[in-house]
Amino acid sequence: MSTTIIASLLVGAMLSLRFNVSILVPTIMAAWAVLTGIGLTWEITAARVVLEIVVVTTALEVGYLAALLTEGLAIRPN
């Protein structure tokens, strides 16, 4: 699960550098579809899939917000 969290944080951060916040909705929906497909393929319990979906959604949003805050707090050269 830690690999999924790190990947989601990085994807969220990369999205914030190029797109506005509305890109998160299709990205989260795609992540839900992928995670559900993986859960059905590997026969993972529904509770585990839901937990993974919640974690990935949160990590995407936190990564997006962290990159925005980092960019906003950066000192701009004169």
Side-chain angles (χ1 to χ4, degrees):
M1 184 179 303
S2 62
T3 305
T4 309
I5 294 170
I6 293 170
S8 298
L9 284 169
L10 292 175
V11 168
M14 288 189 311
L15 289 175
S16 73
L17 299 176
R18 179 81 172 120
F19 301 103
N20 59 6
V21 73
S22 62
I23 194 68
L24 284 177
V25 174
T27 305
I28 289 171
M29 298 305 263
W32 288 2
V34 168
L35 291 171
T36 303
I38 290 171
L40 290 173
T41 303
W42 291 350
E43 297 178 356
I44 300 172
T45 62
R48 177 77 176 183
V49 173
V50 170
L51 174 67
E52 194 79 26
I53 287 172
V54 169
V55 168
V56 166
T57 302
T58 305
L60 279 169
E61 293 174 1
V62 167
Y64 191 93
L65 183 62
L68 284 180
L69 290 175
T70 303
E71 185 178 351
L73 295 176
I75 299 173
R76 308 222 189 272
N78 291 334

Short mmCIF file of all heavy atoms in Angstrom, two decimals:
data_model
loop_
_atom_site.label_atom_id
_atom_site.label_comp_id
_atom_site.label_asym_id
_atom_site.label_seq_id
_atom_site.Cartn_x
_atom_site.Cartn_y
_atom_site.Cartn_z
N MET A 1 0.82 -1.19 0.00
CA MET A 1 0.00 0.00 0.00
C MET A 1 0.86 1.25 0.00
O MET A 1 0.43 2.28 -0.51
CB MET A 1 -0.95 0.00 1.20
CG MET A 1 -1.88 1.17 1.16
SD MET A 1 -3.10 1.36 2.46
CE MET A 1 -4.01 -0.11 2.43
N SER A 2 2.06 1.19 0.55
CA SER A 2 2.91 2.39 0.61
C SER A 2 3.33 2.84 -0.78
O SER A 2 3.45 4.03 -1.03
CB SER A 2 4.12 2.14 1.49
OG SER A 2 4.91 1.10 0.95
N THR A 3 3.53 1.90 -1.69
CA THR A 3 3.87 2.27 -3.07
C THR A 3 2.72 3.01 -3.72
O THR A 3 2.94 4.00 -4.44
CB THR A 3 4.21 1.00 -3.89
OG1 THR A 3 5.24 0.29 -3.22
CG2 THR A 3 4.64 1.36 -5.28
N THR A 4 1.52 2.57 -3.47
CA THR A 4 0.34 3.23 -4.01
C THR A 4 0.19 4.64 -3.46
O THR A 4 -0.15 5.57 -4.20
CB THR A 4 -0.93 2.41 -3.68
OG1 THR A 4 -0.71 1.06 -4.06
CG2 THR A 4 -2.13 2.96 -4.39
N ILE A 5 0.47 4.81 -2.19
CA ILE A 5 0.37 6.13 -1.56
C ILE A 5 1.40 7.08 -2.15
O ILE A 5 1.08 8.23 -2.53
CB ILE A 5 0.54 6.03 -0.03
CG1 ILE A 5 -0.62 5.26 0.57
CG2 ILE A 5 0.64 7.42 0.59
CD1 ILE A 5 -0.43 4.91 2.02
N ILE A 6 2.63 6.62 -2.26
CA ILE A 6 3.69 7.48 -2.81
C ILE A 6 3.40 7.84 -4.25
O ILE A 6 3.55 9.00 -4.67
CB ILE A 6 5.05 6.78 -2.66
CG1 ILE A 6 5.42 6.67 -1.19
CG2 ILE A 6 6.14 7.52 -3.44
CD1 ILE A 6 6.62 5.79 -0.91
N ALA A 7 2.96 6.86 -5.04
CA ALA A 7 2.64 7.14 -6.44
C ALA A 7 1.49 8.14 -6.55
O ALA A 7 1.53 9.05 -7.38
CB ALA A 7 2.29 5.84 -7.16
N SER A 8 0.48 8.00 -5.71
CA SER A 8 -0.66 8.92 -5.74
C SER A 8 -0.25 10.32 -5.33
O SER A 8 -0.71 11.31 -5.92
CB SER A 8 -1.77 8.41 -4.84
OG SER A 8 -2.24 7.17 -5.27
N LEU A 9 0.62 10.44 -4.33
CA LEU A 9 1.11 11.76 -3.93
C LEU A 9 1.86 12.43 -5.07
O LEU A 9 1.68 13.62 -5.35
CB LEU A 9 2.02 11.64 -2.71
CG LEU A 9 1.35 11.41 -1.36
CD1 LEU A 9 2.39 11.04 -0.32
CD2 LEU A 9 0.58 12.63 -0.93
N LEU A 10 2.71 11.67 -5.74
CA LEU A 10 3.49 12.23 -6.85
C LEU A 10 2.61 12.61 -8.04
O LEU A 10 2.82 13.65 -8.67
CB LEU A 10 4.58 11.26 -7.27
CG LEU A 10 5.69 11.05 -6.26
CD1 LEU A 10 6.65 9.97 -6.74
CD2 LEU A 10 6.44 12.35 -6.00
N VAL A 11 1.62 11.78 -8.34
CA VAL A 11 0.71 12.10 -9.43
C VAL A 11 -0.08 13.37 -9.11
O VAL A 11 -0.25 14.25 -9.96
CB VAL A 11 -0.24 10.92 -9.73
CG1 VAL A 11 -1.38 11.32 -10.64
CG2 VAL A 11 0.54 9.77 -10.34
N GLY A 12 -0.56 13.48 -7.89
CA GLY A 12 -1.27 14.69 -7.48
C GLY A 12 -0.40 15.92 -7.57
O GLY A 12 -0.84 16.99 -8.04
N ALA A 13 0.86 15.81 -7.17
CA ALA A 13 1.78 16.94 -7.25
C ALA A 13 2.05 17.32 -8.71
O ALA A 13 2.11 18.51 -9.05
CB ALA A 13 3.09 16.60 -6.54
N MET A 14 2.22 16.33 -9.57
CA MET A 14 2.47 16.62 -10.98
C MET A 14 1.25 17.28 -11.63
O MET A 14 1.40 18.18 -12.45
CB MET A 14 2.84 15.35 -11.73
CG MET A 14 4.21 14.84 -11.42
SD MET A 14 4.79 13.49 -12.47
CE MET A 14 3.43 12.36 -12.44
N LEU A 15 0.08 16.84 -11.26
CA LEU A 15 -1.13 17.43 -11.84
C LEU A 15 -1.29 18.90 -11.43
O LEU A 15 -1.77 19.71 -12.21
CB LEU A 15 -2.37 16.64 -11.41
CG LEU A 15 -2.53 15.26 -12.04
CD1 LEU A 15 -3.72 14.56 -11.42
CD2 LEU A 15 -2.69 15.37 -13.54
N SER A 16 -0.88 19.23 -10.22
CA SER A 16 -1.05 20.61 -9.76
C SER A 16 -0.13 21.57 -10.50
O SER A 16 -0.40 22.77 -10.57
CB SER A 16 -0.78 20.71 -8.26
OG SER A 16 0.60 20.59 -7.99
N LEU A 17 0.97 21.07 -11.04
CA LEU A 17 1.89 21.94 -11.76
C LEU A 17 1.37 22.34 -13.13
O LEU A 17 1.78 23.36 -13.68
CB LEU A 17 3.25 21.25 -11.90
CG LEU A 17 3.96 20.92 -10.59
CD1 LEU A 17 5.24 20.15 -10.87
CD2 LEU A 17 4.25 22.18 -9.80
N ARG A 18 0.48 21.55 -13.69
CA ARG A 18 0.04 21.79 -15.06
C ARG A 18 -1.44 22.16 -15.17
O ARG A 18 -1.82 22.94 -16.03
CB ARG A 18 0.31 20.54 -15.88
CG ARG A 18 -0.11 20.60 -17.30
CD ARG A 18 0.92 21.33 -18.14
NE ARG A 18 0.56 21.20 -19.54
CZ ARG A 18 0.32 22.24 -20.31
NH1 ARG A 18 0.42 23.46 -19.85
NH2 ARG A 18 -0.01 22.07 -21.55
N PHE A 19 -2.30 21.60 -14.32
CA PHE A 19 -3.74 21.74 -14.47
C PHE A 19 -4.36 22.41 -13.25
O PHE A 19 -3.76 22.48 -12.19
CB PHE A 19 -4.40 20.36 -14.65
CG PHE A 19 -3.89 19.60 -15.84
CD1 PHE A 19 -2.99 18.56 -15.67
CD2 PHE A 19 -4.31 19.92 -17.11
CE1 PHE A 19 -2.52 17.85 -16.77
CE2 PHE A 19 -3.85 19.22 -18.21
CZ PHE A 19 -2.95 18.19 -18.04
N ASN A 20 -5.61 22.88 -13.43
CA ASN A 20 -6.34 23.41 -12.29
C ASN A 20 -7.02 22.28 -11.54
O ASN A 20 -6.93 21.11 -11.92
CB ASN A 20 -7.34 24.50 -12.73
CG ASN A 20 -8.35 24.00 -13.72
OD1 ASN A 20 -8.40 22.82 -14.02
ND2 ASN A 20 -9.15 24.90 -14.23
N VAL A 21 -7.74 22.61 -10.50
CA VAL A 21 -8.25 21.61 -9.56
C VAL A 21 -9.30 20.68 -10.19
O VAL A 21 -9.49 19.57 -9.72
CB VAL A 21 -8.79 22.30 -8.29
CG1 VAL A 21 -10.10 23.00 -8.56
CG2 VAL A 21 -8.92 21.32 -7.16
N SER A 22 -9.92 21.10 -11.27
CA SER A 22 -10.96 20.26 -11.88
C SER A 22 -10.40 18.97 -12.48
O SER A 22 -11.17 18.05 -12.76
CB SER A 22 -11.73 21.05 -12.95
OG SER A 22 -10.84 21.44 -13.97
N ILE A 23 -9.10 18.87 -12.66
CA ILE A 23 -8.50 17.64 -13.19
C ILE A 23 -8.56 16.51 -12.16
O ILE A 23 -8.45 15.33 -12.53
CB ILE A 23 -7.05 17.90 -13.65
CG1 ILE A 23 -6.53 16.75 -14.52
CG2 ILE A 23 -6.12 18.08 -12.47
CD1 ILE A 23 -7.19 16.62 -15.83
N LEU A 24 -8.75 16.84 -10.90
CA LEU A 24 -8.78 15.80 -9.87
C LEU A 24 -9.99 14.88 -10.01
O LEU A 24 -9.89 13.69 -9.71
CB LEU A 24 -8.78 16.43 -8.48
CG LEU A 24 -7.43 16.96 -8.00
CD1 LEU A 24 -7.59 17.62 -6.65
CD2 LEU A 24 -6.41 15.86 -7.94
N VAL A 25 -11.10 15.39 -10.48
CA VAL A 25 -12.31 14.56 -10.59
C VAL A 25 -12.11 13.41 -11.58
O VAL A 25 -12.32 12.25 -11.22
CB VAL A 25 -13.55 15.41 -10.95
CG1 VAL A 25 -14.76 14.54 -11.22
CG2 VAL A 25 -13.84 16.41 -9.84
N PRO A 26 -11.68 13.67 -12.83
CA PRO A 26 -11.47 12.52 -13.73
C PRO A 26 -10.32 11.62 -13.28
O PRO A 26 -10.36 10.40 -13.49
CB PRO A 26 -11.17 13.15 -15.09
CG PRO A 26 -10.99 14.58 -14.87
CD PRO A 26 -11.54 14.93 -13.53
N THR A 27 -9.31 12.19 -12.64
CA THR A 27 -8.20 11.38 -12.16
C THR A 27 -8.66 10.45 -11.05
O THR A 27 -8.30 9.26 -11.03
CB THR A 27 -7.06 12.28 -11.66
OG1 THR A 27 -6.70 13.18 -12.70
CG2 THR A 27 -5.87 11.47 -11.24
N ILE A 28 -9.45 10.95 -10.13
CA ILE A 28 -9.96 10.13 -9.04
C ILE A 28 -10.90 9.05 -9.58
O ILE A 28 -10.84 7.90 -9.15
CB ILE A 28 -10.64 11.01 -7.97
CG1 ILE A 28 -9.57 11.82 -7.23
CG2 ILE A 28 -11.47 10.19 -7.02
CD1 ILE A 28 -10.12 12.87 -6.31
N MET A 29 -11.74 9.40 -10.54
CA MET A 29 -12.64 8.41 -11.12
C MET A 29 -11.86 7.31 -11.83
O MET A 29 -12.21 6.13 -11.73
CB MET A 29 -13.63 9.08 -12.08
CG MET A 29 -14.52 10.09 -11.41
SD MET A 29 -15.42 9.39 -10.03
CE MET A 29 -16.94 9.04 -10.79
N ALA A 30 -10.79 7.67 -12.54
CA ALA A 30 -9.96 6.67 -13.20
C ALA A 30 -9.27 5.78 -12.18
O ALA A 30 -9.16 4.56 -12.36
CB ALA A 30 -8.93 7.36 -14.09
N ALA A 31 -8.80 6.38 -11.09
CA ALA A 31 -8.15 5.59 -10.03
C ALA A 31 -9.15 4.62 -9.41
O ALA A 31 -8.80 3.46 -9.13
CB ALA A 31 -7.57 6.51 -8.97
N TRP A 32 -10.39 5.06 -9.20
CA TRP A 32 -11.41 4.17 -8.65
C TRP A 32 -11.64 2.98 -9.58
O TRP A 32 -11.75 1.84 -9.13
CB TRP A 32 -12.72 4.90 -8.45
CG TRP A 32 -12.74 5.87 -7.31
CD1 TRP A 32 -11.71 6.18 -6.48
CD2 TRP A 32 -13.84 6.66 -6.89
NE1 TRP A 32 -12.11 7.12 -5.57
CE2 TRP A 32 -13.41 7.43 -5.80
CE3 TRP A 32 -15.14 6.79 -7.34
CZ2 TRP A 32 -14.24 8.32 -5.14
CZ3 TRP A 32 -15.97 7.68 -6.68
CH2 TRP A 32 -15.53 8.43 -5.59
N ALA A 33 -11.72 3.25 -10.88
CA ALA A 33 -11.96 2.18 -11.85
C ALA A 33 -10.79 1.19 -11.86
O ALA A 33 -11.00 -0.03 -11.88
CB ALA A 33 -12.17 2.77 -13.24
N VAL A 34 -9.57 1.70 -11.84
CA VAL A 34 -8.39 0.83 -11.85
C VAL A 34 -8.34 -0.01 -10.58
O VAL A 34 -8.10 -1.23 -10.63
CB VAL A 34 -7.11 1.67 -12.02
CG1 VAL A 34 -5.87 0.84 -11.74
CG2 VAL A 34 -7.05 2.27 -13.41
N LEU A 35 -8.56 0.61 -9.43
CA LEU A 35 -8.49 -0.13 -8.18
C LEU A 35 -9.61 -1.16 -8.06
O LEU A 35 -9.39 -2.26 -7.54
CB LEU A 35 -8.54 0.84 -7.00
CG LEU A 35 -7.30 1.72 -6.84
CD1 LEU A 35 -7.54 2.79 -5.78
CD2 LEU A 35 -6.10 0.88 -6.48
N THR A 36 -10.78 -0.83 -8.56
CA THR A 36 -11.88 -1.80 -8.55
C THR A 36 -11.55 -2.98 -9.47
O THR A 36 -11.79 -4.14 -9.12
CB THR A 36 -13.20 -1.14 -8.98
OG1 THR A 36 -13.46 -0.03 -8.11
CG2 THR A 36 -14.35 -2.12 -8.94
N GLY A 37 -11.00 -2.68 -10.64
CA GLY A 37 -10.60 -3.75 -11.56
C GLY A 37 -9.53 -4.65 -10.97
O GLY A 37 -9.60 -5.87 -11.09
N ILE A 38 -8.56 -4.06 -10.31
CA ILE A 38 -7.51 -4.85 -9.66
C ILE A 38 -8.12 -5.70 -8.54
O ILE A 38 -7.78 -6.88 -8.39
CB ILE A 38 -6.40 -3.93 -9.11
CG1 ILE A 38 -5.60 -3.34 -10.27
CG2 ILE A 38 -5.47 -4.69 -8.17
CD1 ILE A 38 -4.63 -2.25 -9.84
N GLY A 39 -9.02 -5.12 -7.78
CA GLY A 39 -9.67 -5.86 -6.70
C GLY A 39 -10.47 -7.03 -7.20
O GLY A 39 -10.46 -8.12 -6.62
N LEU A 40 -11.18 -6.85 -8.32
CA LEU A 40 -11.96 -7.95 -8.89
C LEU A 40 -11.05 -9.02 -9.49
O LEU A 40 -11.33 -10.21 -9.37
CB LEU A 40 -12.92 -7.41 -9.96
CG LEU A 40 -14.08 -6.56 -9.46
CD1 LEU A 40 -14.83 -5.95 -10.62
CD2 LEU A 40 -15.00 -7.39 -8.59
N THR A 41 -9.98 -8.59 -10.12
CA THR A 41 -9.07 -9.55 -10.75
C THR A 41 -8.35 -10.40 -9.71
O THR A 41 -8.23 -11.62 -9.87
CB THR A 41 -8.03 -8.81 -11.60
OG1 THR A 41 -8.71 -8.02 -12.58
CG2 THR A 41 -7.09 -9.77 -12.30
N TRP A 42 -7.87 -9.78 -8.65
CA TRP A 42 -7.12 -10.49 -7.63
C TRP A 42 -7.99 -11.04 -6.51
O TRP A 42 -7.48 -11.57 -5.52
CB TRP A 42 -6.05 -9.59 -7.04
CG TRP A 42 -4.94 -9.26 -7.99
CD1 TRP A 42 -4.70 -9.81 -9.21
CD2 TRP A 42 -3.91 -8.30 -7.78
NE1 TRP A 42 -3.60 -9.23 -9.78
CE2 TRP A 42 -3.08 -8.30 -8.92
CE3 TRP A 42 -3.61 -7.43 -6.75
CZ2 TRP A 42 -1.98 -7.48 -9.06
CZ3 TRP A 42 -2.49 -6.59 -6.89
CH2 TRP A 42 -1.69 -6.63 -8.03
N GLU A 43 -9.31 -10.86 -6.64
CA GLU A 43 -10.28 -11.35 -5.66
C GLU A 43 -9.99 -10.83 -4.25
O GLU A 43 -9.98 -11.57 -3.27
CB GLU A 43 -10.35 -12.87 -5.69
CG GLU A 43 -10.83 -13.41 -7.02
CD GLU A 43 -10.84 -14.92 -7.07
OE1 GLU A 43 -10.42 -15.57 -6.09
OE2 GLU A 43 -11.27 -15.46 -8.10
N ILE A 44 -9.76 -9.53 -4.18
CA ILE A 44 -9.53 -8.87 -2.90
C ILE A 44 -10.89 -8.53 -2.28
O ILE A 44 -11.85 -8.24 -3.00
CB ILE A 44 -8.69 -7.58 -3.10
CG1 ILE A 44 -7.34 -7.94 -3.73
CG2 ILE A 44 -8.48 -6.84 -1.81
CD1 ILE A 44 -6.52 -6.76 -4.16
N THR A 45 -10.98 -8.54 -0.96
CA THR A 45 -12.25 -8.25 -0.30
C THR A 45 -12.69 -6.81 -0.59
O THR A 45 -11.87 -5.93 -0.84
CB THR A 45 -12.13 -8.44 1.22
OG1 THR A 45 -11.18 -7.51 1.73
CG2 THR A 45 -11.72 -9.86 1.56
N ALA A 46 -13.98 -6.61 -0.53
CA ALA A 46 -14.55 -5.30 -0.82
C ALA A 46 -14.06 -4.25 0.17
O ALA A 46 -13.82 -3.10 -0.21
CB ALA A 46 -16.07 -5.37 -0.81
N ALA A 47 -13.91 -4.62 1.42
CA ALA A 47 -13.45 -3.67 2.43
C ALA A 47 -12.04 -3.19 2.11
O ALA A 47 -11.72 -2.00 2.26
CB ALA A 47 -13.49 -4.30 3.81
N ARG A 48 -11.19 -4.08 1.67
CA ARG A 48 -9.81 -3.71 1.32
C ARG A 48 -9.78 -2.80 0.10
O ARG A 48 -9.01 -1.84 0.04
CB ARG A 48 -9.01 -4.99 1.05
CG ARG A 48 -7.62 -4.76 0.62
CD ARG A 48 -6.74 -4.39 1.75
NE ARG A 48 -5.37 -4.27 1.24
CZ ARG A 48 -4.34 -4.02 1.98
NH1 ARG A 48 -4.50 -3.87 3.27
NH2 ARG A 48 -3.17 -3.91 1.46
N VAL A 49 -10.64 -3.05 -0.88
CA VAL A 49 -10.71 -2.20 -2.07
C VAL A 49 -11.21 -0.81 -1.69
O VAL A 49 -10.66 0.19 -2.16
CB VAL A 49 -11.61 -2.84 -3.15
CG1 VAL A 49 -11.83 -1.90 -4.31
CG2 VAL A 49 -10.99 -4.14 -3.64
N VAL A 50 -12.22 -0.74 -0.85
CA VAL A 50 -12.73 0.56 -0.41
C VAL A 50 -11.67 1.32 0.37
O VAL A 50 -11.49 2.53 0.18
CB VAL A 50 -14.02 0.38 0.42
CG1 VAL A 50 -14.43 1.67 1.09
CG2 VAL A 50 -15.14 -0.15 -0.46
N LEU A 51 -10.94 0.63 1.22
CA LEU A 51 -9.85 1.28 1.96
C LEU A 51 -8.80 1.82 1.01
O LEU A 51 -8.34 2.95 1.16
CB LEU A 51 -9.22 0.29 2.94
CG LEU A 51 -7.98 0.78 3.68
CD1 LEU A 51 -8.36 1.92 4.63
CD2 LEU A 51 -7.31 -0.35 4.43
N GLU A 52 -8.44 1.04 0.02
CA GLU A 52 -7.45 1.48 -0.97
C GLU A 52 -7.96 2.69 -1.76
O GLU A 52 -7.20 3.62 -2.03
CB GLU A 52 -7.14 0.33 -1.92
CG GLU A 52 -5.91 0.53 -2.75
CD GLU A 52 -4.63 0.27 -2.00
OE1 GLU A 52 -4.64 -0.51 -1.04
OE2 GLU A 52 -3.61 0.85 -2.39
N ILE A 53 -9.23 2.70 -2.11
CA ILE A 53 -9.81 3.83 -2.83
C ILE A 53 -9.77 5.09 -1.98
O ILE A 53 -9.40 6.17 -2.46
CB ILE A 53 -11.26 3.50 -3.28
CG1 ILE A 53 -11.23 2.50 -4.44
CG2 ILE A 53 -12.03 4.74 -3.66
CD1 ILE A 53 -12.58 1.97 -4.83
N VAL A 54 -10.12 4.97 -0.72
CA VAL A 54 -10.08 6.14 0.18
C VAL A 54 -8.65 6.66 0.33
O VAL A 54 -8.41 7.87 0.28
CB VAL A 54 -10.69 5.78 1.55
CG1 VAL A 54 -10.43 6.85 2.58
CG2 VAL A 54 -12.18 5.51 1.42
N VAL A 55 -7.71 5.76 0.49
CA VAL A 55 -6.31 6.16 0.67
C VAL A 55 -5.78 6.84 -0.59
O VAL A 55 -5.12 7.88 -0.52
CB VAL A 55 -5.45 4.94 1.07
CG1 VAL A 55 -3.98 5.24 0.97
CG2 VAL A 55 -5.80 4.49 2.47
N VAL A 56 -6.06 6.27 -1.75
CA VAL A 56 -5.57 6.85 -3.01
C VAL A 56 -6.21 8.21 -3.27
O VAL A 56 -5.53 9.15 -3.68
CB VAL A 56 -5.82 5.88 -4.18
CG1 VAL A 56 -5.64 6.56 -5.52
CG2 VAL A 56 -4.89 4.69 -4.07
N THR A 57 -7.50 8.33 -3.03
CA THR A 57 -8.18 9.61 -3.21
C THR A 57 -7.59 10.67 -2.30
O THR A 57 -7.30 11.79 -2.74
CB THR A 57 -9.69 9.45 -2.93
OG1 THR A 57 -10.22 8.46 -3.81
CG2 THR A 57 -10.41 10.76 -3.13
N THR A 58 -7.37 10.34 -1.06
CA THR A 58 -6.78 11.29 -0.12
C THR A 58 -5.36 11.66 -0.52
O THR A 58 -4.97 12.83 -0.47
CB THR A 58 -6.79 10.70 1.30
OG1 THR A 58 -8.13 10.33 1.64
CG2 THR A 58 -6.27 11.69 2.31
N ALA A 59 -4.58 10.68 -0.94
CA ALA A 59 -3.19 10.94 -1.33
C ALA A 59 -3.13 11.83 -2.57
O ALA A 59 -2.26 12.72 -2.66
CB ALA A 59 -2.45 9.64 -1.57
N LEU A 60 -4.02 11.63 -3.53
CA LEU A 60 -4.05 12.50 -4.71
C LEU A 60 -4.33 13.95 -4.31
O LEU A 60 -3.67 14.88 -4.78
CB LEU A 60 -5.12 12.03 -5.69
CG LEU A 60 -4.75 10.87 -6.61
CD1 LEU A 60 -5.99 10.36 -7.32
CD2 LEU A 60 -3.70 11.30 -7.61
N GLU A 61 -5.30 14.13 -3.43
CA GLU A 61 -5.66 15.48 -3.01
C GLU A 61 -4.56 16.12 -2.17
O GLU A 61 -4.26 17.31 -2.33
CB GLU A 61 -6.98 15.44 -2.24
CG GLU A 61 -8.15 15.06 -3.14
CD GLU A 61 -9.44 14.88 -2.39
OE1 GLU A 61 -9.47 15.06 -1.16
OE2 GLU A 61 -10.45 14.54 -3.04
N VAL A 62 -3.95 15.35 -1.29
CA VAL A 62 -2.87 15.89 -0.46
C VAL A 62 -1.67 16.25 -1.32
O VAL A 62 -1.03 17.29 -1.12
CB VAL A 62 -2.49 14.89 0.66
CG1 VAL A 62 -1.19 15.27 1.33
CG2 VAL A 62 -3.62 14.81 1.67
N GLY A 63 -1.33 15.41 -2.28
CA GLY A 63 -0.23 15.70 -3.19
C GLY A 63 -0.49 16.97 -4.00
O GLY A 63 0.40 17.80 -4.19
N TYR A 64 -1.71 17.12 -4.48
CA TYR A 64 -2.09 18.32 -5.23
C TYR A 64 -1.94 19.56 -4.35
O TYR A 64 -1.34 20.55 -4.76
CB TYR A 64 -3.53 18.18 -5.73
CG TYR A 64 -3.94 19.22 -6.73
CD1 TYR A 64 -3.80 18.99 -8.08
CD2 TYR A 64 -4.46 20.44 -6.32
CE1 TYR A 64 -4.17 19.94 -9.01
CE2 TYR A 64 -4.83 21.40 -7.24
CZ TYR A 64 -4.69 21.15 -8.58
OH TYR A 64 -5.04 22.10 -9.49
N LEU A 65 -2.47 19.48 -3.15
CA LEU A 65 -2.42 20.63 -2.24
C LEU A 65 -1.00 20.94 -1.80
O LEU A 65 -0.61 22.11 -1.72
CB LEU A 65 -3.30 20.35 -1.02
CG LEU A 65 -3.41 21.48 0.01
CD1 LEU A 65 -4.05 22.70 -0.63
CD2 LEU A 65 -4.22 21.02 1.20
N ALA A 66 -0.21 19.92 -1.53
CA ALA A 66 1.17 20.14 -1.08
C ALA A 66 1.99 20.83 -2.16
O ALA A 66 2.79 21.74 -1.86
CB ALA A 66 1.81 18.81 -0.71
N ALA A 67 1.81 20.43 -3.40
CA ALA A 67 2.56 21.08 -4.48
C ALA A 67 2.11 22.53 -4.66
O ALA A 67 2.94 23.41 -4.93
CB ALA A 67 2.40 20.30 -5.77
N LEU A 68 0.82 22.79 -4.52
CA LEU A 68 0.34 24.16 -4.62
C LEU A 68 0.92 25.02 -3.50
O LEU A 68 1.33 26.16 -3.72
CB LEU A 68 -1.19 24.21 -4.56
CG LEU A 68 -1.93 23.81 -5.81
CD1 LEU A 68 -3.43 23.93 -5.57
CD2 LEU A 68 -1.52 24.64 -7.00
N LEU A 69 0.93 24.49 -2.28
CA LEU A 69 1.47 25.25 -1.15
C LEU A 69 2.97 25.47 -1.31
O LEU A 69 3.48 26.55 -1.01
CB LEU A 69 1.18 24.53 0.16
CG LEU A 69 -0.28 24.52 0.60
CD1 LEU A 69 -0.44 23.67 1.85
CD2 LEU A 69 -0.77 25.93 0.84
N THR A 70 3.68 24.46 -1.78
CA THR A 70 5.12 24.60 -1.99
C THR A 70 5.41 25.66 -3.05
O THR A 70 6.31 26.47 -2.88
CB THR A 70 5.73 23.25 -2.41
OG1 THR A 70 5.42 22.29 -1.42
CG2 THR A 70 7.22 23.35 -2.59
N GLU A 71 4.65 25.64 -4.12
CA GLU A 71 4.84 26.61 -5.18
C GLU A 71 4.47 28.02 -4.70
O GLU A 71 5.13 29.01 -5.03
CB GLU A 71 3.98 26.24 -6.39
CG GLU A 71 4.20 27.12 -7.59
CD GLU A 71 3.36 26.67 -8.77
OE1 GLU A 71 2.72 25.60 -8.71
OE2 GLU A 71 3.33 27.43 -9.75
N GLY A 72 3.44 28.11 -3.88
CA GLY A 72 3.00 29.41 -3.39
C GLY A 72 3.94 29.99 -2.35
O GLY A 72 4.06 31.21 -2.22
N LEU A 73 4.63 29.15 -1.59
CA LEU A 73 5.54 29.62 -0.56
C LEU A 73 6.96 29.86 -1.09
O LEU A 73 7.81 30.35 -0.34
CB LEU A 73 5.59 28.62 0.60
CG LEU A 73 4.29 28.45 1.36
CD1 LEU A 73 4.45 27.37 2.42
CD2 LEU A 73 3.86 29.75 2.03
N ALA A 74 7.20 29.47 -2.33
CA ALA A 74 8.55 29.64 -2.89
C ALA A 74 8.87 31.13 -3.01
O ALA A 74 8.02 31.95 -3.34
CB ALA A 74 8.63 28.97 -4.26
N ILE A 75 10.11 31.48 -2.75
CA ILE A 75 10.56 32.85 -2.87
C ILE A 75 10.91 33.12 -4.32
O ILE A 75 11.77 32.44 -4.90
CB ILE A 75 11.77 33.11 -1.95
CG1 ILE A 75 11.38 32.88 -0.50
CG2 ILE A 75 12.30 34.52 -2.18
CD1 ILE A 75 12.54 32.94 0.44
N ARG A 76 10.26 34.09 -4.90
CA ARG A 76 10.49 34.41 -6.29
C ARG A 76 11.70 35.35 -6.42
O ARG A 76 11.86 36.28 -5.64
CB ARG A 76 9.29 35.08 -6.88
CG ARG A 76 8.01 34.29 -6.66
CD ARG A 76 7.15 34.26 -7.90
NE ARG A 76 5.84 33.70 -7.64
CZ ARG A 76 5.56 32.41 -7.71
NH1 ARG A 76 6.50 31.57 -7.97
NH2 ARG A 76 4.36 31.97 -7.50
N PRO A 77 12.56 35.11 -7.40
CA PRO A 77 13.71 36.00 -7.58
C PRO A 77 13.26 37.37 -8.08
O PRO A 77 12.25 37.48 -8.77
CB PRO A 77 14.56 35.29 -8.62
CG PRO A 77 13.64 34.36 -9.32
CD PRO A 77 12.56 34.02 -8.34
N ASN A 78 14.01 38.39 -7.74
CA ASN A 78 13.64 39.76 -8.17
C ASN A 78 13.99 40.02 -9.59
O ASN A 78 14.79 39.64 -10.25
CB ASN A 78 14.31 40.78 -7.27
CG ASN A 78 13.70 40.73 -5.88
OD1 ASN A 78 12.56 40.34 -5.74
ND2 ASN A 78 14.45 41.13 -4.90
#
